Amino acid sequence: MKLHAITLGCQMSAADGSETLARLRERGWAAAESPEDADAIFLTTCSVRDHAEQRALSLIGRLREWKAKDPKRFLVVAGCVAERLGQRLAKRFPHVDLVLGSKKAGSYADLVAEAFAVRNSESPKAIRNPAGGDSVVQSLTIMRGCSCACSYCIVPSVRGPELCRPADEILAEARARLAGGARELILLGQRVNAWRDGDRDLAGLLRELDSLPGLARLRFMSPHPALCDERLFAALAGCRTACEWLHLPVQSGSDRLLGLMGRGYTRGQFLDTARRLRAAVRGVVVSTDIIVGFPSETEAEFAETLGLVSELRPATAFCFKYSGREGTPAAELADDVPAAVKEARLAAVNAVVDRHTAQALQEAVGSMVEVLAETPTFGRTRTGFKARWKSPVAAGRLAPLRVTAATRRTLLGDIHEPHDP
Ligand code: SF4
C-alpha cells in the first residue's frame, strides 16, 4: 500500500500527517512521492482560517478525478475541516472513503489501517520510500487540543480540550526519532507551555530532553504569552540544545481588542514578558502573530498594534486579516472592518515587520553563526533564520557559517569545517 500524505495548514497538521505516515510505515505501508503513484491519499486539513478551509474543500473536489481513475484508490480526509464538517463532508464529496476529525488525531494510523483492511479485506503490502519522519528537523506533538477560549479561534471546538502526552512517552519517542537521524526536535502544542505531566512542566521536559545523546537543537511552539515565566526562560537559557528563538503570538496591540479576543493579557503585560525574556536569554530572537481588522478595530487601535510591533521588533511575524469562523464567539460580532481597510492594514503591518526582518538579517552580516544543515547547502541558524551556502555539508551536521550577505529572508555565507562529529 503506497500512501501519499498532503498537509494543508499549521505545523500541528503537518506533524499529524507525518506521525500517521510513520506509524503506518511500521505496519508495512510506504510513502508515495505523488498522488499518481499512490494507492491512498491522507489529506490533513486546517480550518483555522476560512481561506485554509476553502483550499481544502477545493482540493478534495479536485481529487474526485484521481479517485475516478481507479475506484480501489482510498481517500482519507482528516484534521480540523473533517472535525468541523464531519459527515456533511462525506455527503458533499462521496468519493471520500474516510473522514477523521482532529479529535481522533492520536489514532489516525489505527483507524486508517482498520478502514482499509475492512474495505479491501487484504493486508497492505510493504513497499519502498520511507518518508515522513526521516528529516533532520522533526516535529514532536506533546499535547493536543486547547483549553483556552480565544474568541476568534476554532481550535478548542475542533480539537477539544488540552490533552498532554505523558513525559515518558515523549522521551521514548524523542529517543527513537534521534536514533532514526533527527538532530532537531520541535515540540508542538497549541499552548505548548501549558503542558503538564503530574508535577513535570515544559521547563523540566526541556531539561530532560536536553541530555539526550544526538540531540543538537530543541525548539517549542507556540507558547501562550500569559503562561511564560522565569522558570521557562531559565530552561531556555540553561539548556545546551534550546535555541535562542521564541514565537510569542500577541495578535493585537490594543487592550480593548485583546480583551475582546480573550487573550488573557494586556499590551503592557505582553511587552513586559518580552522584556524579561530578552533579559534572561542572551541574543534571543522573537517572532509573533498579528490579526488585523478584528471586529470593531478602529484606526487608532490599529496604530497601537503598529506601535507594539515597532517596540517588540520581531524578526518575523505571521500577519493575517481577520475572517470570522462559524462556531466561534467572535463570529457573533459584526465583521465591520471593510475588506479594503483590512487589506491596507495588513500591508502596513507587513511593511513594518519586513523592516525588522531586513534589519535583523543585516545585523548578522559579517558574523559567524552556527547552522544545522537540513540539506547539503541549506539550513537554519539557532535563531531560526534560513541560511544558504555553496560548499556541501552532510545533512544533520552543525557547522559554522561566515555570513557574507542577506536576501529578503535568507542569510548567505561560507561554511567553515563542520565542528561536530
Ligand atoms: S491559545 Fe487561543 S488562539 Fe491558541 S489554540 Fe488556544 S484558543 Fe486558539
Side-chain angles (χ1 to χ4, degrees), residues 32-305:
E33 298 284 354
S34 68
E36 279 320 304
D37 196 28
D39 305 301
I41 287 182
F42 184 80
L43 170 62
T44 324
T45 59
C46 174
S47 66
V48 167
R49 293 177 212 292
D50 186 50
H51 177 66
E53 184 164 318
Q54 293 313 319
R55 269 182 69 208
L57 296 176
S58 149
L59 178 59
I60 297 167
R62 292 200 304 280
L63 286 170
R64 186 178 286 116
E65 221 175 284
W66 171 82
K67 172 89 182 194
K69 285 187 187 158
D70 180 356
K72 283 206 216 97
R73 284 175 162 175
F74 196 62
L75 177 57
V76 184
V77 178
C80 294
V81 174
E83 184 67 46
R84 205 178 82 73
L85 300 180
Q87 287 315 307
R88 278 185 282 162
L89 194 66
K91 249 192 207 156
R92 177 164 164 194
F93 301 105
H95 59 290
V96 172
D97 295 289
L98 184 62
V99 175
L100 292 176
S102 45
K103 286 180 184 157
K104 297 188 180 122
S107 335
Y108 280 163
D110 292 341
L111 296 167
V112 170
E114 268 167 37
F116 178 80
V118 166
R119 200 198 66 169
N120 287 20
S121 310
E122 65 182 39
S123 359
K125 287 178 266 163
I127 31 177
R128 60 169 186 82
N129 187 18
D134 289 349
S135 56
V136 168
V137 179
Q138 294 189 20
S139 304
L140 203 168
T141 303
I142 65 167
M143 61 192 296
R144 297 187 186 281
C146 185
S147 301
C148 261
C150 301
S151 63
Y152 54 84
C153 182
I154 199 152
V155 166
S157 69
V158 292
R159 286 189 175 256
E162 280 158 6
L163 202 64
C164 298
R165 291 179 70 190
D168 292 344
E169 191 180 304
I170 296 168
L171 288 162
E173 188 169 339
R175 280 192 200 94
R177 301 282 193 98
L178 296 170
R183 297 282 279 137
E184 174 174 327
L185 294 175
I186 306 174
L187 309 181
L188 293 186
Q190 302 289 352
R191 204 171 60 131
V192 71
N193 48 346
W195 179 87
R196 290 288 181 281
D197 178 7
D199 55 7
R200 287 151 115 171
D201 63 3
L202 182 65
L205 183 66
L206 293 177
R207 292 189 190 276
E208 289 186 73
L209 288 163
D210 190 47
S211 61
L212 295 184
L215 183 67
R217 289 181 175 180
L218 192 53
R219 302 183 199 270
F220 55 89
M221 71 182 288
S222 293
H224 192 288
L227 299 181
C228 286
D229 59 11
E230 263 48 42
R231 196 176 138 73
L232 182 64
F233 299 158
L236 257 182
C239 290
R240 168 189 63 90
T241 58
C243 291
E244 295 78 21
W245 169 83
L246 200 64
H247 185 68
L248 272 182
V250 63
Q251 312 300 2
S252 171
S254 146
D255 280 342
R256 188 184 73 86
L257 289 182
L258 287 171
L260 274 182
M261 290 176 176
R263 290 293 292 168
Y265 51 80
T266 63
R267 171 199 178 95
Q269 285 165 337
F270 177 87
L271 285 170
D272 185 56
T273 299
R275 184 193 56 73
R276 290 185 288 114
L277 166 70
R278 284 183 162 129
V281 185
R282 214 166 145 236
V284 72
V285 161
V286 171
S287 61
T288 194
D289 292 339
I290 302 281
I291 297 172
V292 300
F294 191 80
S296 75
E297 181 186 65
T298 65
E299 208 53 54
E301 286 164 339
F302 172 65
E304 289 186 81
T305 297

Side-chain angles (χ1 to χ4, degrees), residues 290-292 302 305-306 309 317 319-320 344-355:
I290 302 281
I291 297 172
V292 300
F302 172 65
T305 297
L306 283 183
V309 173
C319 306
F320 301 97
R345 289 180 186 172
L346 181 64
V349 74
N350 274 332
V352 176
V353 172
D354 283 351
R355 276 206 299 279

Side-chain angles (χ1 to χ4, degrees), residues 3 19-30 42 108-110 112-113:
L3 183 93
E19 275 168 29
T20 303
L21 196 49
R23 287 191 186 142
L24 286 169
R25 281 171 53 207
E26 286 161 14
R27 295 164 174 253
W29 294 48
F42 184 80
Y108 280 163
D110 292 341
V112 170

